[in-house]
Amino acid sequence: MSLQDDLTAVRRNLNELVRSVEQLERDVANTARPAPTASRPPGEGAMVSVPDTPYDSALWTDVDDEGLGARDRRAP
């Protein structure tokens, strides 16, 4: 292959790369647009306050410890 052939191949590959990047930029711009706010369900994105008071301990009765198994059995 001659130097001229190599340069031609490099130019062709560079042009293809530029076209691919431009297409990718267009695709990203089209998908990055936020959805209209009218289509969101009511209340979505609203702040929810979480109280600092402790939960009622009765909520945790008969609950297994996550990752530790049941209280009356041994972990493997």
Side-chain angles (χ1 to χ4, degrees):
M1 215 180 218
S2 71
L3 181 60
Q4 187 62 32
D5 292 339
D6 288 343
L7 288 175
T8 302
V10 168
R11 283 189 191 114
R12 187 175 346 107
N13 290 336
L14 183 58
N15 289 337
E16 181 61 32
L17 177 62
V18 168
R19 282 192 297 273
S20 296
V21 169
E22 288 171 348
Q23 181 63 44
L24 180 61
E25 287 173 340
R26 283 191 298 272
D27 292 346
V28 168
N30 289 337
T31 59
R33 292 184 186 139
T37 57
S39 66
R40 291 183 182 164
E44 183 179 319
M47 296 287 289
V48 176
S49 63
V50 177
D52 290 333
T53 57
Y55 289 108
D56 181 12
S57 61
L59 291 172
W60 311 116
T61 308
D62 297 330
V63 175
D64 294 341
D65 291 325
E66 184 176 338
L68 300 177
R71 295 177 198 263
D72 59 345
R73 288 178 276 185
R74 294 181 153 227

